[in-house]
Amino acid sequence: MKNLKVFLAMVSVLLIFASCSSKRNGGLALDEVNKPADYWYENMLKEIKNGDLEKADSYFTSLQSEHLHSPLLKEAMLILGKAHMQNEEYLLAGFYYDEFIKRFGDQENIDFANFLKLQANYFAFAKQHRDQQLLMDSIKLAREFSQKYPYSRYRPYADMILLRLELANLSLNKEIIKLYNKKDKGDAASFYQQKIDENAWIKDVFYKDAKSPWYQKIFEW
């Protein structure tokens, strides 16, 4: 019993040292606190350049925590949003754009910030092919953009995104109808057919159905 206690104590000590080492090597050093705003900002930029977005996020968190009213926050949010977009982390990018809109959205930049958020949602759906809720949220966002900012310079791009999302929704609904028909679930198939009929104009748009490669089809539905 005594040997067991000694063994467990040694394991605990080793875990503590490993944890401390991990924090110093993989995250921010433990003594990095109470730094000026430009210190956090410049290190955030350095880590973005190094491709370590997790560390860049940590530096941003420190910037925001220690300098809540720093003018650097505004630019930092947009830079991190763009960095996560380029790294195909679209939902994280959307988070930063949301934060920017809440804190810094004004008459001069609100349409641009909302367009960036819409763009992040659009690319996120392209990556997560079958996420219908994300698709519907993105369609709603695109429609709202056109209504709120009819004269925005980004309106044509938002309308193009909306059209592509509507076509994706049409294609997805057709696939769902096929699936329910195969399983002899006529009521469910009729429900999705009604959705298509309610948006009848989109059926007149010429487009080609997206085709998945054979190795991906194995995992669909």
Side-chain angles (χ1 to χ4, degrees):
M1 187 67 178
K2 184 178 179 180
N3 290 338
L4 178 60
K5 288 181 178 179
V6 172
F7 174 74
L8 290 174
M10 291 177 63
V11 169
S12 298
V13 171
L14 287 172
L15 287 174
I16 291 170
F17 277 112
S19 175
C20 291
S21 175
S22 175
K23 286 181 180 178
R24 290 186 180 275
N25 295 328
L28 296 179
L30 298 179
D31 58 351
E32 284 191 311
V33 294
N34 196 27
K35 300 287 187 180
D38 58 352
Y39 172 86
W40 300 120
Y41 180 77
E42 288 169 7
N43 276 282
M44 181 197 80
L45 295 180
K46 183 184 75 174
E47 295 306 334
I48 290 174
K49 186 177 180 181
N50 292 338
D52 192 341
L53 294 189
E54 186 175 354
K55 213 167 186 178
D57 289 335
S58 296
Y59 278 115
F60 171 80
T61 299
S62 294
L63 170 63
Q64 184 168 237
S65 300
E66 295 189 4
H67 305 278
L68 187 59
H69 302 292
S70 169
L72 293 173
L73 281 173
K74 185 176 182 179
E75 189 175 341
M77 287 179 181
L78 292 179
I79 290 172
L80 275 170
K82 184 66 174 177
H84 282 290
M85 284 268 287
Q86 291 178 337
N87 205 42
E88 297 187 352
E89 296 171 343
Y90 303 113
L91 298 183
L92 265 175
F95 164 78
Y96 281 108
Y97 296 143
D98 269 333
E99 290 298 302
F100 179 90
I101 291 166
K102 289 174 189 174
R103 290 202 54 190
F104 303 110
D106 57 33
Q107 190 173 357
E108 292 184 0
N109 63 35
I110 192 68
D111 63 328
F112 174 62
N114 273 290
F115 174 70
L116 290 176
K117 181 183 174 184
L118 171 61
Q119 197 176 42
N121 271 39
Y122 172 67
F123 288 122
F125 172 74
K127 189 176 181 184
Q128 301 175 30
H129 182 56
R130 297 294 181 177
D131 190 339
Q132 193 169 32
Q133 186 57 54
L134 178 60
L135 174 59
M136 299 312 299
D137 290 344
S138 302
I139 287 174
K140 180 182 177 183
L141 201 63
R143 288 174 178 170
E144 288 176 349
F145 186 94
S146 298
Q147 292 168 1
K148 289 180 179 178
Y149 317 109
Y151 305 110
S152 169
R153 71 181 72 179
Y154 307 105
R155 168 74 188 277
Y157 304 104
D159 287 346
M160 179 189 68
I161 288 175
L162 176 59
L163 176 60
R164 290 184 174 183
L165 291 171
E166 292 279 17
L167 288 171
N169 190 40
L170 173 63
S171 179
L172 190 54
N173 282 334
K174 285 182 176 180
E175 289 295 320
I176 293 171
I177 289 170
K178 287 180 184 177
L179 175 67
Y180 279 129
N181 282 332
K182 284 180 181 178
K183 296 188 175 183
D184 294 324
K185 295 186 176 181
D187 290 342
S190 297
F191 173 79
Y192 281 93
Q193 183 60 51
Q194 186 177 353
K195 283 189 172 186
I196 292 176
D197 295 338
E198 287 172 356
N199 209 16
W201 68 271
I202 198 71
K203 292 188 294 185
D204 296 327
V205 177
F206 176 77
Y207 75 102
K208 291 183 179 180
D209 288 319
K211 295 185 182 296
S212 302
W214 65 268
Y215 52 83
Q216 186 174 329
K217 286 183 179 180
I218 298 172
F219 303 101
E220 292 180 357
W221 304 114

